[in-house]
Amino acid sequence: MDRRRFCKTAIAAGVSAAYPLLAACEKKGAVATHANTSIRGISLDGAEIELEKAAIKELGDAMNGPVMLSGHPDYDGARTIWNGMHDKRPALIARCLNSQDVSHAVTFARERELLVAVRGGGHSWPGKSICDDGLMIDLSQLTDVSVNAETQRAFAGGGALLAHLDQASLPLGLVTTAGVVSHTGVGGYTLGGGFGRLNRKYGLAIDNLRSAEMITADGQIRTVSQDQDADQFEAAAVTSASSRSLSTSCIRLNATCFRAASSGRSNRPGTCSISTAAGTAACLMSSTPAYSWQRCLTALAS
């Protein structure tokens, strides 16, 4: 066989082999609304259970975001988390677009005592963001962060990352205790305590949590704070992040000042000042090699 014919034959064989895989990506059964059979699940006590076809379709119809089954083109991407050691395959992945979606997913799981994992930033080292044969509640699309400069408050979605928080708050001269890895989730980091470089000045991240919109196990959407439903707020503050679904967090911000670094690392401190609703503060500035900008702490009165 000459080289030209060999190349043509190899290309034709490759296309033929790939066609079934491409067709599989278009299978309607890859989303809950077109589920054509019941699927296997795992209960909270580890027992095998059956997730009925009609119930899966009902969940898919109720949600704004997709409920993905194995075989969906986005399934593998959605189940991939930062720590690649945890290669688990949920029975269902509910990609939530709002608080109501989270409520529907939680209710579905509670009624069947189905194992649940909640993915915020997907940065859980022990892999609490994902589970085998259970329901993965995916908050990764809820990344909006809004900042009120007057009240010095940030409102972060359940899938927002520390990078999103910084991008929204730093241009306004506001900052809070945060970690050093920008792709860590705000919700999980905060509920886990949140130790960072600014905690000696402003406390842990959890100390700066002022309120939260949370979905409890009964599917109710609740806004909790020290002044509203204080018991639930305190419970959220002391309970593992993996057992809570926060759709929005309200975080206290503090006045700061920063400047873009001209190059790499500089050991020369500088001074700066910033005017905010809380007053004018002055501080020393030192560089941090991990960032392209430099932060400083303020001398605000308590």
Side-chain angles (χ1 to χ4, degrees), residues 33-94:
T33 50
H34 296 99
N36 52 22
T37 185
S38 299
I39 61 175
R40 173 182 177 272
I42 292 292
S43 68
L44 293 172
D45 60 6
E48 184 173 328
I49 58 177
E50 181 182 0
L51 303 177
E52 323 85 46
K53 176 177 65 175
I56 296 172
K57 286 185 175 180
E58 184 178 351
L59 175 62
D61 288 334
M63 288 191 50
N64 291 282
V67 179
M68 295 176 280
L69 285 65
S70 178
H72 188 282
D74 295 332
Y75 176 85
D76 284 331
R79 71 181 184 88
T80 301
I81 61 174
W82 170 71
N83 187 353
M85 293 176 60
H86 302 286
D87 184 22
K88 298 181 181 180
R89 302 186 67 85
L92 300 168
I93 299 178

Side-chain angles (χ1 to χ4, degrees), residues 117-123 129 136-143 157-161 183-188 246:
V118 180
R119 184 193 194 281
H123 213 272
S129 308
M136 178 181 179
I137 299 178
D138 180 10
L139 308 181
S140 63
Q141 305 303 299
L142 304 176
T143 59
L161 307 180
H183 49 86
T184 303
V186 174
L246 294 189

